[in-house]
Amino acid sequence: MGREQWKKIWVGSAGNMVEWFDWFVYATFAVYFADAFFPGDNDTAKLMNTMGVFAVGFFMRPVGGWLLGRIGDRKGRKAALTLTVTLMSASAILIAVAPTYAVAGYGGVAVLLVARLLQGLSVGGEYAASATYLTEASAPDKRGFASSFQYVSMTAGQLVGLGLLIILQHTLSEDALHSWGWRIPFVVGALGAAIVFYLRRSMLETEVYAETGAATDPDRGTLKLLWAHKREAFLVMALTMGGTVAYYTYTTYLTKFLSKSAGMEKQTATLVSFCALFVFMCIQPLAGMLSDRIGRRPLLITFAVGSTFLTVPIMTMLKHAGTFWPAFGLALLALVVVTGYTSINACVKAELFPTGIRALGVALPYALANALFGGTAEYVALWFKKGGIESGFYWYVAGCAAVSLIVYLTMRETRDIDLNRVVGAGEKESAPVRSSSQLAS
Protein backbone atom coordinates (compact mmCIF):
# COMPACT_ATOMS: atom_id res chain seq x y z
CA MET A 1 0.00 0.00 0.00
CA GLY A 2 1.51 3.31 -1.12
CA ARG A 3 2.13 6.47 0.87
CA GLU A 4 -0.72 8.27 -0.87
CA GLN A 5 -3.20 5.57 0.12
CA TRP A 6 -1.97 5.58 3.71
CA LYS A 7 -2.48 9.35 3.83
CA LYS A 8 -6.09 8.96 2.66
CA ILE A 9 -6.71 6.25 5.23
CA TRP A 10 -5.17 8.37 7.99
CA VAL A 11 -7.22 11.49 7.22
CA GLY A 12 -10.44 9.51 6.80
CA SER A 13 -9.83 7.54 9.99
CA ALA A 14 -8.83 10.52 12.15
CA GLY A 15 -12.03 12.32 11.29
CA ASN A 16 -14.06 9.19 11.86
CA MET A 17 -12.49 8.80 15.32
CA VAL A 18 -13.55 12.29 16.41
CA GLU A 19 -17.04 11.84 14.95
CA TRP A 20 -17.60 8.65 16.91
CA PHE A 21 -15.98 10.05 20.06
CA ASP A 22 -18.64 12.75 20.07
CA TRP A 23 -21.35 10.19 19.30
CA PHE A 24 -20.38 7.68 21.98
CA VAL A 25 -19.49 9.98 24.89
CA TYR A 26 -23.18 10.77 25.20
CA ALA A 27 -23.86 7.12 26.04
CA THR A 28 -20.65 6.76 28.07
CA PHE A 29 -21.38 9.73 30.35
CA ALA A 30 -25.17 9.27 30.45
CA VAL A 31 -25.04 7.76 33.97
CA TYR A 32 -23.56 11.04 35.21
CA PHE A 33 -25.83 13.60 33.57
CA ALA A 34 -29.17 11.74 33.50
CA ASP A 35 -30.27 13.22 36.84
CA ALA A 36 -29.25 16.72 35.69
CA PHE A 37 -31.97 16.75 33.04
CA PHE A 38 -34.61 14.35 34.39
CA PRO A 39 -35.89 14.70 37.98
CA GLY A 40 -37.11 11.76 40.08
CA ASP A 41 -35.90 8.95 42.31
CA ASN A 42 -35.92 6.04 39.84
CA ASP A 43 -32.38 5.77 38.40
CA THR A 44 -33.44 3.26 35.72
CA ALA A 45 -36.28 5.52 34.56
CA LYS A 46 -33.95 8.53 34.35
CA LEU A 47 -31.42 6.52 32.38
CA MET A 48 -34.19 5.28 30.08
CA ASN A 49 -35.25 8.88 29.39
CA THR A 50 -31.65 9.87 28.69
CA MET A 51 -31.12 6.90 26.38
CA GLY A 52 -34.44 7.69 24.72
CA VAL A 53 -32.88 11.00 23.63
CA PHE A 54 -29.83 8.98 22.53
CA ALA A 55 -32.10 6.80 20.39
CA VAL A 56 -33.69 9.88 18.79
CA GLY A 57 -30.33 10.64 17.20
CA PHE A 58 -30.54 7.31 15.40
CA PHE A 59 -33.87 8.23 13.84
CA MET A 60 -32.25 11.31 12.31
CA ARG A 61 -29.57 9.14 10.74
CA PRO A 62 -31.70 8.12 7.72
CA VAL A 63 -32.16 11.83 6.91
CA GLY A 64 -28.43 12.36 7.25
CA GLY A 65 -27.82 9.22 5.21
CA TRP A 66 -29.99 10.54 2.39
CA LEU A 67 -28.71 14.13 2.45
CA LEU A 68 -25.01 13.46 2.96
CA GLY A 69 -25.05 10.32 0.82
CA ARG A 70 -26.46 12.41 -2.02
CA ILE A 71 -23.77 15.03 -1.47
CA GLY A 72 -21.10 12.34 -1.37
CA ASP A 73 -22.21 10.89 -4.71
CA ARG A 74 -22.78 14.23 -6.46
CA LYS A 75 -20.15 16.55 -4.94
CA GLY A 76 -17.55 14.06 -3.80
CA ARG A 77 -16.56 12.06 -0.73
CA LYS A 78 -14.44 14.96 0.54
CA ALA A 79 -17.39 17.39 0.53
CA ALA A 80 -19.57 14.98 2.52
CA LEU A 81 -16.85 14.21 5.06
CA THR A 82 -16.14 17.91 5.65
CA LEU A 83 -19.82 18.69 6.24
CA THR A 84 -20.32 15.80 8.67
CA VAL A 85 -17.57 16.95 11.01
CA THR A 86 -18.94 20.52 10.96
CA LEU A 87 -22.35 19.30 12.12
CA MET A 88 -20.76 17.14 14.82
CA SER A 89 -18.76 20.06 16.20
CA ALA A 90 -21.92 22.16 16.51
CA SER A 91 -23.77 19.37 18.34
CA ALA A 92 -20.92 18.84 20.83
CA ILE A 93 -20.92 22.54 21.70
CA LEU A 94 -24.68 22.46 22.30
CA ILE A 95 -24.44 19.56 24.75
CA ALA A 96 -21.48 21.16 26.54
CA VAL A 97 -23.53 24.29 27.31
CA ALA A 98 -26.99 22.70 27.76
CA PRO A 99 -28.77 24.06 30.88
CA THR A 100 -29.85 21.54 33.54
CA TYR A 101 -33.41 20.93 34.76
CA ALA A 102 -32.73 23.09 37.81
CA VAL A 103 -31.87 26.05 35.57
CA ALA A 104 -34.28 25.77 32.63
CA GLY A 105 -36.66 22.93 33.39
CA TYR A 106 -37.16 20.73 30.37
CA GLY A 107 -35.56 23.42 28.21
CA GLY A 108 -32.27 21.62 28.79
CA VAL A 109 -33.79 18.42 27.40
CA ALA A 110 -34.83 20.40 24.31
CA VAL A 111 -31.21 21.48 23.80
CA LEU A 112 -30.08 17.87 24.21
CA LEU A 113 -32.67 16.80 21.67
CA VAL A 114 -31.54 19.34 19.07
CA ALA A 115 -27.92 18.33 19.62
CA ARG A 116 -28.72 14.65 19.19
CA LEU A 117 -30.66 15.41 16.01
CA LEU A 118 -27.60 17.20 14.61
CA GLN A 119 -25.39 14.29 15.69
CA GLY A 120 -27.73 11.85 14.01
CA LEU A 121 -27.66 13.91 10.82
CA SER A 122 -23.86 13.97 10.92
CA VAL A 123 -23.24 10.31 11.75
CA GLY A 124 -25.90 9.23 9.25
CA GLY A 125 -23.63 10.53 6.52
CA GLU A 126 -20.27 9.90 8.20
CA TYR A 127 -20.52 6.12 8.19
CA ALA A 128 -21.22 5.85 4.47
CA ALA A 129 -18.85 8.63 3.45
CA SER A 130 -15.95 7.13 5.40
CA ALA A 131 -16.81 3.55 4.40
CA THR A 132 -16.90 4.59 0.75
CA TYR A 133 -13.77 6.72 1.03
CA LEU A 134 -11.67 4.06 2.78
CA THR A 135 -12.83 1.34 0.39
CA GLU A 136 -12.21 3.40 -2.75
CA ALA A 137 -8.86 4.76 -1.53
CA SER A 138 -7.30 1.30 -1.17
CA ALA A 139 -5.79 -1.18 -3.62
CA PRO A 140 -8.30 -3.76 -4.95
CA ASP A 141 -6.70 -6.62 -3.04
CA LYS A 142 -6.46 -4.66 0.25
CA ARG A 143 -9.97 -3.24 0.56
CA GLY A 144 -10.82 -5.41 3.56
CA PHE A 145 -7.68 -4.31 5.38
CA ALA A 146 -8.12 -0.61 4.56
CA SER A 147 -11.82 -0.43 5.37
CA SER A 148 -11.25 -2.19 8.70
CA PHE A 149 -9.76 1.09 9.90
CA GLN A 150 -13.27 2.47 10.04
CA TYR A 151 -13.96 0.38 13.13
CA VAL A 152 -10.41 0.92 14.35
CA SER A 153 -11.12 4.65 14.36
CA MET A 154 -14.67 4.22 15.67
CA THR A 155 -13.37 2.13 18.56
CA ALA A 156 -10.46 4.52 19.11
CA GLY A 157 -13.00 7.30 19.52
CA GLN A 158 -14.87 5.26 22.08
CA LEU A 159 -11.63 4.33 23.87
CA VAL A 160 -10.63 7.98 24.10
CA GLY A 161 -14.04 8.65 25.63
CA LEU A 162 -13.68 5.80 28.11
CA GLY A 163 -10.09 6.82 28.87
CA LEU A 164 -11.25 10.35 29.58
CA LEU A 165 -13.96 8.96 31.85
CA ILE A 166 -11.39 6.88 33.76
CA ILE A 167 -9.19 9.97 34.21
CA LEU A 168 -12.13 12.06 35.41
CA GLN A 169 -13.27 9.31 37.77
CA HIS A 170 -9.85 9.38 39.43
CA THR A 171 -9.40 13.16 39.47
CA LEU A 172 -12.90 14.43 40.24
CA SER A 173 -15.31 13.49 43.00
CA GLU A 174 -18.56 11.69 42.19
CA ASP A 175 -20.48 14.88 42.97
CA ALA A 176 -18.27 16.95 40.65
CA LEU A 177 -18.78 14.48 37.80
CA HIS A 178 -22.54 14.64 38.24
CA SER A 179 -22.51 18.41 38.65
CA TRP A 180 -20.23 19.69 35.85
CA GLY A 181 -17.52 17.16 35.00
CA TRP A 182 -19.68 15.39 32.42
CA ARG A 183 -19.47 18.52 30.21
CA ILE A 184 -15.70 18.16 29.71
CA PRO A 185 -15.79 15.43 27.01
CA PHE A 186 -18.16 17.46 24.88
CA VAL A 187 -15.80 20.44 24.98
CA VAL A 188 -12.95 18.10 23.99
CA GLY A 189 -15.09 16.72 21.15
CA ALA A 190 -15.87 20.17 19.78
CA LEU A 191 -12.16 21.09 19.74
CA GLY A 192 -11.23 17.79 18.08
CA ALA A 193 -13.88 18.31 15.39
CA ALA A 194 -12.45 21.74 14.61
CA ILE A 195 -8.99 20.21 14.05
CA VAL A 196 -10.43 17.48 11.81
CA PHE A 197 -12.34 20.09 9.80
CA TYR A 198 -8.97 21.65 8.92
CA LEU A 199 -7.50 18.25 7.97
CA ARG A 200 -10.43 17.26 5.80
CA ARG A 201 -10.38 20.49 3.83
CA SER A 202 -7.01 19.45 2.40
CA MET A 203 -7.79 15.74 1.92
CA LEU A 204 -7.53 14.10 -1.52
CA GLU A 205 -10.54 12.79 -3.44
CA THR A 206 -10.51 9.08 -4.32
CA GLU A 207 -9.45 8.15 -7.85
CA VAL A 208 -12.45 5.84 -8.26
CA TYR A 209 -14.80 8.78 -7.75
CA ALA A 210 -12.75 11.30 -9.72
CA GLU A 211 -12.59 9.04 -12.79
CA THR A 212 -16.36 8.56 -13.16
CA GLY A 213 -17.37 12.06 -14.28
CA ALA A 214 -19.76 13.14 -11.52
CA ALA A 215 -20.99 16.29 -13.23
CA THR A 216 -22.20 14.48 -16.36
CA ASP A 217 -24.61 12.04 -14.65
CA PRO A 218 -27.95 13.61 -13.59
CA ASP A 219 -29.05 10.43 -11.78
CA ARG A 220 -25.96 10.20 -9.57
CA GLY A 221 -26.86 10.13 -5.86
CA THR A 222 -30.63 10.11 -6.45
CA LEU A 223 -33.37 7.94 -4.96
CA LYS A 224 -34.27 6.98 -8.53
CA LEU A 225 -30.87 5.35 -9.02
CA LEU A 226 -31.00 3.82 -5.54
CA TRP A 227 -34.34 2.21 -6.40
CA ALA A 228 -32.67 0.57 -9.38
CA HIS A 229 -30.47 -1.14 -6.77
CA LYS A 230 -33.20 -1.84 -4.24
CA ARG A 231 -32.11 -5.46 -3.79
CA GLU A 232 -28.67 -4.33 -2.64
CA ALA A 233 -30.26 -1.68 -0.39
CA PHE A 234 -32.45 -4.24 1.36
CA LEU A 235 -29.42 -6.51 1.64
CA VAL A 236 -27.51 -3.76 3.48
CA MET A 237 -30.38 -3.43 5.97
CA ALA A 238 -30.60 -7.17 6.58
CA LEU A 239 -26.87 -7.79 6.98
CA THR A 240 -26.63 -4.77 9.32
CA MET A 241 -29.41 -5.90 11.65
CA GLY A 242 -27.55 -8.51 13.69
CA GLY A 243 -24.21 -6.74 13.61
CA THR A 244 -25.40 -3.38 14.87
CA VAL A 245 -27.43 -4.85 17.76
CA ALA A 246 -24.50 -7.00 18.87
CA TYR A 247 -22.02 -4.13 18.51
CA TYR A 248 -24.00 -1.68 20.62
CA THR A 249 -24.73 -4.37 23.21
CA TYR A 250 -21.04 -5.08 23.83
CA THR A 251 -19.79 -1.52 23.49
CA THR A 252 -22.00 1.36 24.64
CA TYR A 253 -24.34 -0.77 26.78
CA LEU A 254 -21.69 -3.02 28.37
CA THR A 255 -20.48 -0.52 30.99
CA LYS A 256 -24.03 0.20 32.14
CA PHE A 257 -24.91 -3.50 32.15
CA LEU A 258 -21.91 -4.35 34.32
CA SER A 259 -22.61 -1.54 36.78
CA LYS A 260 -26.42 -1.69 36.92
CA SER A 261 -27.10 -5.41 36.41
CA ALA A 262 -23.89 -7.19 37.42
CA GLY A 263 -23.36 -4.92 40.44
CA MET A 264 -19.81 -3.86 39.57
CA GLU A 265 -18.39 -0.53 40.65
CA LYS A 266 -18.52 2.04 37.84
CA GLN A 267 -14.73 2.31 37.73
CA THR A 268 -14.29 -1.47 37.33
CA ALA A 269 -17.01 -1.69 34.70
CA THR A 270 -15.39 1.14 32.75
CA LEU A 271 -11.97 -0.55 32.94
CA VAL A 272 -13.42 -3.83 31.65
CA SER A 273 -14.93 -2.04 28.66
CA PHE A 274 -11.75 -0.10 27.98
CA CYS A 275 -9.44 -3.13 28.00
CA ALA A 276 -11.78 -5.33 25.94
CA LEU A 277 -12.32 -2.57 23.37
CA PHE A 278 -8.58 -1.94 23.07
CA VAL A 279 -7.92 -5.56 22.08
CA PHE A 280 -10.99 -5.46 19.82
CA MET A 281 -9.60 -2.39 18.05
CA CYS A 282 -6.22 -4.04 17.47
CA ILE A 283 -7.64 -7.16 15.80
CA GLN A 284 -9.79 -5.32 13.24
CA PRO A 285 -7.03 -4.99 10.59
CA LEU A 286 -6.05 -8.63 11.08
CA ALA A 287 -9.60 -9.75 10.31
CA GLY A 288 -9.74 -7.33 7.38
CA MET A 289 -6.55 -8.85 5.95
CA LEU A 290 -8.01 -12.32 6.40
CA SER A 291 -11.10 -11.32 4.41
CA ASP A 292 -8.84 -10.16 1.55
CA ARG A 293 -7.49 -13.70 1.37
CA ILE A 294 -10.55 -15.90 2.00
CA GLY A 295 -13.46 -13.58 1.22
CA ARG A 296 -16.04 -11.59 3.22
CA ARG A 297 -18.76 -14.23 3.65
CA PRO A 298 -16.75 -16.64 5.87
CA LEU A 299 -16.17 -13.90 8.44
CA LEU A 300 -19.78 -12.71 8.35
CA ILE A 301 -21.08 -16.25 8.78
CA THR A 302 -18.67 -16.89 11.68
CA PHE A 303 -19.95 -13.76 13.43
CA ALA A 304 -23.60 -14.67 12.94
CA VAL A 305 -23.22 -18.28 14.11
CA GLY A 306 -21.23 -17.19 17.17
CA SER A 307 -23.62 -14.38 18.07
CA THR A 308 -26.69 -16.55 17.59
CA PHE A 309 -25.51 -19.35 19.86
CA LEU A 310 -23.19 -17.59 22.33
CA THR A 311 -25.05 -14.38 23.21
CA VAL A 312 -27.35 -15.89 25.83
CA PRO A 313 -24.62 -17.78 27.75
CA ILE A 314 -22.17 -14.86 27.52
CA MET A 315 -24.67 -12.30 28.82
CA THR A 316 -25.88 -14.67 31.54
CA MET A 317 -22.33 -15.27 32.79
CA LEU A 318 -21.47 -11.56 32.52
CA LYS A 319 -24.30 -10.77 34.92
CA HIS A 320 -22.67 -13.00 37.51
CA ALA A 321 -19.02 -12.27 36.64
CA GLY A 322 -18.44 -10.22 39.78
CA THR A 323 -14.78 -9.27 39.25
CA PHE A 324 -12.59 -7.78 36.53
CA TRP A 325 -10.95 -10.83 34.93
CA PRO A 326 -14.05 -13.00 34.33
CA ALA A 327 -15.91 -9.98 32.98
CA PHE A 328 -12.98 -9.00 30.76
CA GLY A 329 -12.66 -12.53 29.34
CA LEU A 330 -16.36 -12.77 28.52
CA ALA A 331 -16.51 -9.25 27.02
CA LEU A 332 -13.46 -9.98 24.88
CA LEU A 333 -14.93 -13.27 23.66
CA ALA A 334 -18.10 -11.44 22.63
CA LEU A 335 -16.13 -8.73 20.81
CA VAL A 336 -13.94 -11.28 18.99
CA VAL A 337 -17.16 -12.80 17.65
CA VAL A 338 -18.46 -9.36 16.65
CA THR A 339 -15.19 -8.70 14.77
CA GLY A 340 -16.42 -10.98 11.99
CA TYR A 341 -18.96 -8.25 11.22
CA THR A 342 -17.26 -5.01 12.22
CA SER A 343 -13.93 -5.54 10.45
CA ILE A 344 -15.43 -5.87 6.97
CA ASN A 345 -19.00 -4.57 6.94
CA ALA A 346 -17.89 -1.21 5.52
CA CYS A 347 -16.26 -2.67 2.43
CA VAL A 348 -18.98 -5.31 1.93
CA LYS A 349 -21.64 -2.61 1.71
CA ALA A 350 -19.52 -0.35 -0.49
CA GLU A 351 -18.72 -3.27 -2.82
CA LEU A 352 -22.42 -3.93 -3.40
CA PHE A 353 -22.98 -0.64 -5.27
CA PRO A 354 -21.50 1.07 -8.35
CA THR A 355 -19.72 4.41 -7.90
CA GLY A 356 -22.61 6.69 -8.85
CA ILE A 357 -24.83 5.45 -6.02
CA ARG A 358 -22.28 4.01 -3.58
CA ALA A 359 -22.41 6.67 -0.84
CA LEU A 360 -26.22 6.93 -0.82
CA GLY A 361 -26.60 3.18 -1.31
CA VAL A 362 -24.58 2.51 1.83
CA ALA A 363 -25.83 5.49 3.85
CA LEU A 364 -29.62 5.33 3.68
CA PRO A 365 -30.33 1.60 4.24
CA TYR A 366 -27.57 1.36 6.86
CA ALA A 367 -28.99 4.37 8.71
CA LEU A 368 -32.49 2.88 8.59
CA ALA A 369 -31.24 -0.41 10.03
CA ASN A 370 -29.38 1.43 12.78
CA ALA A 371 -32.42 3.53 13.63
CA LEU A 372 -34.56 0.41 13.98
CA PHE A 373 -32.07 -1.87 15.72
CA GLY A 374 -28.79 -0.24 16.80
CA GLY A 375 -30.22 2.96 18.24
CA THR A 376 -32.92 1.15 20.19
CA ALA A 377 -30.70 -1.66 21.55
CA GLU A 378 -30.00 0.00 24.90
CA TYR A 379 -33.58 1.17 25.29
CA VAL A 380 -34.85 -2.35 24.58
CA ALA A 381 -32.36 -3.74 27.11
CA LEU A 382 -33.52 -1.31 29.79
CA TRP A 383 -37.16 -2.04 28.92
CA PHE A 384 -36.61 -5.74 29.53
CA LYS A 385 -34.74 -4.91 32.75
CA LYS A 386 -37.50 -2.64 34.02
CA GLY A 387 -40.06 -5.35 33.23
CA GLY A 388 -38.12 -7.87 35.33
CA ILE A 389 -37.22 -10.13 32.38
CA GLU A 390 -33.73 -8.91 31.53
CA SER A 391 -32.78 -12.24 29.95
CA GLY A 392 -35.34 -11.52 27.22
CA PHE A 393 -32.88 -9.01 25.79
CA TYR A 394 -30.23 -11.71 25.41
CA TRP A 395 -32.60 -13.71 23.22
CA TYR A 396 -33.49 -10.58 21.26
CA VAL A 397 -29.80 -10.02 20.36
CA ALA A 398 -29.41 -13.68 19.39
CA GLY A 399 -32.55 -13.54 17.25
CA CYS A 400 -31.33 -10.50 15.32
CA ALA A 401 -28.06 -12.32 14.61
CA ALA A 402 -29.98 -15.37 13.40
CA VAL A 403 -31.85 -13.25 10.84
CA SER A 404 -28.55 -11.84 9.54
CA LEU A 405 -27.11 -15.36 9.39
CA ILE A 406 -29.73 -16.32 6.81
CA VAL A 407 -28.69 -13.31 4.73
CA TYR A 408 -24.98 -14.12 4.95
CA LEU A 409 -25.60 -17.71 3.87
CA THR A 410 -27.50 -16.61 0.75
CA MET A 411 -25.62 -13.47 -0.35
CA ARG A 412 -22.89 -13.39 -3.01
CA GLU A 413 -19.21 -12.90 -2.30
CA THR A 414 -18.15 -9.27 -2.89
CA ARG A 415 -14.35 -9.39 -2.49
CA ASP A 416 -13.50 -9.42 -6.22
CA ILE A 417 -16.09 -6.93 -7.48
CA ASP A 418 -14.74 -4.07 -9.61
CA LEU A 419 -15.42 -0.70 -7.89
CA ASN A 420 -15.02 1.20 -11.17
CA ARG A 421 -18.23 -0.13 -12.66
CA VAL A 422 -20.79 2.55 -13.53
CA VAL A 423 -24.47 1.55 -13.72
CA GLY A 424 -27.27 3.96 -14.53
CA ALA A 425 -30.87 3.92 -13.35
CA GLY A 426 -32.81 1.02 -14.78
CA GLU A 427 -29.70 -0.71 -16.12
CA LYS A 428 -28.63 -4.17 -15.11
CA GLU A 429 -25.27 -4.46 -13.47
CA SER A 430 -22.65 -6.36 -15.41
CA ALA A 431 -19.60 -5.78 -13.25
CA PRO A 432 -16.40 -7.50 -14.23
CA VAL A 433 -15.02 -9.73 -11.53
CA ARG A 434 -11.30 -9.97 -10.96
CA SER A 435 -9.60 -13.31 -10.91
CA SER A 436 -6.95 -14.17 -8.34
CA SER A 437 -4.24 -13.59 -10.92
CA GLN A 438 -5.58 -10.13 -11.71
CA LEU A 439 -5.65 -9.23 -8.05
CA ALA A 440 -2.08 -10.38 -7.61
CA SER A 441 -0.83 -8.29 -10.49
Side-chain angles (χ1 to χ4, degrees):
M1 188 174 289
R3 183 178 179 182
E4 194 92 340
Q5 291 174 331
W6 275 114
K7 181 179 179 181
K8 291 178 180 178
I9 291 173
W10 155 244
V11 175
S13 298
N16 200 43
M17 182 187 74
V18 173
E19 284 267 359
W20 290 96
F21 168 85
D22 286 339
W23 177 261
F24 280 125
V25 289
Y26 182 99
T28 303
F29 282 81
V31 293
Y32 291 103
F33 65 77
D35 53 357
F37 295 96
F38 296 99
D41 298 324
N42 189 321
D43 288 340
T44 300
K46 288 189 287 188
L47 191 56
M48 282 185 70
N49 289 330
T50 308
M51 297 317 298
V53 176
F54 179 76
V56 165
F58 280 85
F59 288 98
M60 196 64 178
R61 286 174 68 163
V63 179
W66 167 75
L67 176 62
L68 293 162
R70 178 182 173 87
I71 291 173
D73 282 327
R74 297 184 72 86
K75 303 296 182 182
R77 318 312 188 200
K78 174 183 173 179
L81 287 168
T82 304
L83 181 55
T84 60
V85 78
T86 304
L87 293 171
M88 188 60 77
S89 179
S91 66
I93 292 171
L94 280 177
I95 298 176
V97 301
T100 63
Y101 180 84
V103 174
Y106 285 110
V109 177
V111 174
L112 277 186
L113 189 61
V114 171
R116 285 301 295 176
L117 291 174
L118 284 176
Q119 284 190 335
L121 192 69
S122 173
V123 173
E126 170 68 24
Y127 174 87
S130 62
T132 302
Y133 188 85
L134 289 171
T135 303
E136 290 182 347
S138 60
D141 60 341
K142 290 183 173 60
R143 294 199 299 248
F145 172 73
S147 64
S148 71
F149 281 88
Q150 183 177 48
Y151 269 81
V152 170
S153 55
M154 282 176 64
T155 308
Q158 193 170 0
L159 283 173
V160 172
L162 283 172
L164 183 56
L165 175 57
I166 291 172
I167 292 171
L168 293 176
Q169 285 173 337
H170 286 83
T171 56
L172 298 178
S173 66
E174 188 81 1
D175 289 340
L177 266 173
H178 281 272
S179 176
W180 57 269
W182 60 267
R183 298 182 186 273
I184 293 174
F186 298 103
V187 175
V188 172
L191 293 174
I195 295 172
V196 169
F197 175 80
Y198 172 77
L199 289 174
R200 285 188 167 177
R201 287 190 65 186
S202 61
M203 72 192 300
L204 301 172
E205 189 59 81
T206 68
E207 293 180 8
V208 171
Y209 179 84
E211 290 173 356
T212 56
T216 62
D217 186 359
D219 290 327
R220 176 184 289 267
T222 63
L223 292 176
K224 175 185 176 183
L225 186 54
L226 179 60
W227 185 250
H229 298 277
K230 55 184 177 292
R231 181 181 179 279
E232 288 80 4
F234 284 116
L235 183 59
V236 168
M237 291 187 66
L239 67 86
T240 299
M241 178 182 177
T244 190
V245 171
Y247 178 75
Y248 279 98
T249 297
Y250 296 120
T251 56
T252 58
Y253 181 60
L254 180 64
T255 304
K256 288 181 280 294
F257 177 78
L258 291 175
S259 62
K260 297 293 184 180
S261 298
M264 280 189 179
E265 293 183 357
K266 288 179 182 177
Q267 291 88 338
T268 305
T270 303
L271 187 60
V272 169
S273 293
F274 183 90
C275 294
L277 281 171
F278 180 80
V279 179
F280 170 75
M281 177 185 69
C282 293
I283 63 177
Q284 299 304 299
L286 300 178
M289 290 172 64
L290 181 62
S291 79
D292 286 328
R293 294 182 66 87
I294 68 173
R296 322 299 188 209
R297 289 180 68 246
L299 272 71
L300 291 171
I301 291 170
T302 300
F303 149 71
V305 170
S307 192
T308 299
F309 294 104
L310 294 178
T311 294
V312 174
I314 286 176
M315 294 295 289
T316 302
M317 288 188 286
L318 269 173
K319 188 172 182 178
H320 300 95
T323 58
F324 172 84
W325 286 109
F328 169 73
L330 289 165
L332 183 57
L333 173 60
L335 287 171
V336 169
V337 171
V338 174
T339 295
Y341 167 81
T342 56
S343 60
I344 58 170
N345 82 96
C347 67
V348 169
K349 293 164 189 172
E351 287 166 345
L352 288 171
F353 296 94
T355 304
I357 196 63
R358 185 168 294 129
L360 181 60
V362 174
L364 185 55
Y366 171 80
L368 286 169
N370 262 271
L372 293 172
F373 302 105
T376 59
E378 291 196 47
Y379 196 85
V380 171
L382 293 169
W383 181 82
F384 274 112
K385 178 179 174 61
K386 190 176 181 182
I389 48 172
E390 190 167 29
S391 61
F393 177 67
Y394 314 162
W395 290 100
Y396 169 76
V397 176
C400 290
V403 173
S404 288
L405 174 59
I406 297 172
V407 176
Y408 303 152
L409 289 171
T410 56
M411 69 180 287
R412 61 175 172 166
E413 178 57 62
T414 63
R415 178 187 59 174
D416 297 337
I417 288 177
D418 182 7
L419 292 185
N420 288 291
R421 68 197 189 277
V422 180
V423 183
E427 296 179 19
K428 290 185 178 181
E429 182 180 324
S430 57
V433 178
R434 291 179 175 84
S435 65
S436 298
S437 61
Q438 286 175 305
L439 285 171
S441 62

